[in-house]
Amino acid sequence: MTPGARMVLVLLLAALALTVPASALVVENADLTPAEVKLLFAMREYTLTYNEYAGRLPGWVTGPFADEKVNLYVVSPDGVLVIGITFHDKKIVQFDAKGCPDPIATVTTDAATVEEVMVSDRPFDTFRAAMQNGTATVEGNNLLGTLRTGMVRFGLWAMDLIGL
């Protein structure tokens, strides 16, 4: 193979390697730090685990958000990364690096808590502990969201009360 043909082949392979499949997470916001991009991709990979685990979560946790959009605010020293999460049938079907319009609720936490939940053998309990110690909060953004997040907080309180 001639050097020119090799160069064309290398450029073609490089272009193919850089092409993002349609199903991949696309990050268009140039303001994201490398750590934020890494977190977004880790969350995308974690979706498979979450979606398998979702059926084992109590219905009063997943039900209120089964077919809704939620914004996750990840606070860091660099600012706040807003990630829109769309649920369908209690499973995550989409992430949006720019947030969702009109989300029913907002979850606020830090990157360390997100990562702890993702690596935990018991993600629900890890998130619950973050809610208890104040490193994660859930707030409704409208009347329906307030009622549904209140139901979730009540359920968590009841679990604490009876020692589950």
Side-chain angles (χ1 to χ4, degrees):
M1 183 179 285
T2 67
R6 252 186 261 139
M7 180 58 80
V8 170
L9 183 60
V10 167
L11 290 175
L12 179 60
L13 291 174
L16 288 173
L18 294 174
T19 303
V20 178
S23 64
L25 177 65
V26 177
V27 179
E28 297 177 1
N29 188 341
D31 295 336
L32 296 178
T33 67
E36 291 171 334
V37 171
K38 181 180 176 186
L39 179 65
L40 280 169
F41 280 96
M43 288 178 66
R44 181 180 180 275
E45 292 300 316
Y46 178 72
T47 298
L48 298 173
T49 303
Y50 172 83
N51 286 345
E52 287 178 20
Y53 187 80
R56 292 182 275 166
L57 291 170
W60 55 266
V61 172
T62 57
F65 309 104
D67 294 305
E68 299 290 350
K69 294 179 180 183
V70 173
N71 277 342
L72 171 64
Y73 284 54
V74 182
V75 180
S76 75
D78 298 327
V80 177
L81 172 63
V82 181
I83 302 169
I85 304 171
T86 302
F87 294 88
H88 178 70
D89 195 25
K90 301 179 184 179
K91 296 182 179 179
I92 297 172
V93 294
Q94 181 178 344
F95 282 106
D96 187 336
K98 296 178 182 178
C100 292
D102 302 320
I104 193 167
T106 299
V107 177
T108 305
T109 191
D110 57 17
T113 301
V114 172
E115 290 170 3
E116 284 175 22
V117 169
M118 288 191 301
V119 299
S120 175
D121 292 335
R122 300 182 61 134
F124 174 70
D125 292 333
T126 303
F127 182 75
R128 182 174 156 205
M131 296 248 332
Q132 290 170 332
N133 70 28
T135 57
T137 61
V138 179
E139 297 177 33
N141 293 337
N142 54 37
L143 179 60
L144 185 59
T146 300
L147 292 171
R148 290 181 180 184
T149 57
M151 184 173 85
V152 170
R153 282 195 297 272
F154 176 79
L156 294 171
W157 173 81
M159 286 180 75
D160 292 341
L161 184 66
I162 59 176
L164 291 177

